[in-house]
Amino acid sequence: MHAKFTEENFIELADFFSAFSDTSRLKILFELLESEKTVSEICEKTGFSQSAVSHQLSKLRILKLIKARKQGKFAYYSLDDEHIEHIVKTAVEHFEEL
């Protein structure tokens, strides 16, 4: 499979995996595993400041791990698709088996 990957693909994949190397981003992803949430809801659940959450959400959106849905004056964040959910859950299962 990796024979099809270019150097640029490997760089993009490394960037993708780097998203999981930050505890703040991981905690946000865990919250979004449960359900979509607003910035305020994520702040309440994680204890992070609004600016910290917004900063991490921006990074996660750039890496296409999450998406936002606008409703009125609020943005609701969720995992981008079922692949992201699967990656996080598989990593947790692996960690629990160590």
Side-chain angles (χ1 to χ4, degrees):
M1 172 179 12
H2 76 285
K4 297 177 186 177
F5 259 54
T6 65
E7 186 64 25
E8 184 176 324
N9 294 141
F10 281 111
I11 291 168
E12 290 171 356
L13 188 59
D15 287 343
F16 173 83
F17 280 112
S18 75
F20 300 98
S21 67
D22 181 273
T23 57
S24 299
R25 288 191 293 267
L26 278 176
K27 288 177 183 180
I28 291 169
L29 290 171
F30 269 65
E31 287 304 321
L32 297 179
L33 273 173
E34 294 176 6
S35 64
E36 70 176 4
K37 292 182 172 58
T38 64
V39 171
S40 297
E41 291 170 325
I42 296 169
C43 291
E44 184 178 308
K45 292 283 199 166
T46 62
F48 300 145
S49 69
Q50 184 173 355
S51 64
V53 169
S54 294
H55 177 73
Q56 296 302 342
L57 289 172
S58 176
K59 287 186 174 194
L60 292 168
R61 283 183 73 185
I62 290 168
L63 294 168
K64 297 181 179 152
L65 273 73
I66 65 167
K67 59 187 173 186
R69 173 181 67 83
K70 285 282 211 170
Q71 185 174 345
K73 64 178 185 170
F74 295 102
Y76 291 85
Y77 293 89
S78 61
L79 298 178
D80 191 62
D81 61 27
E82 69 277 355
H83 296 107
I84 305 306
E85 179 178 354
H86 180 74
I87 290 166
V88 174
K89 286 182 175 181
T90 300
V92 169
E93 289 172 9
H94 175 73
F95 182 77
E96 289 174 340
E97 292 177 6
L98 296 178

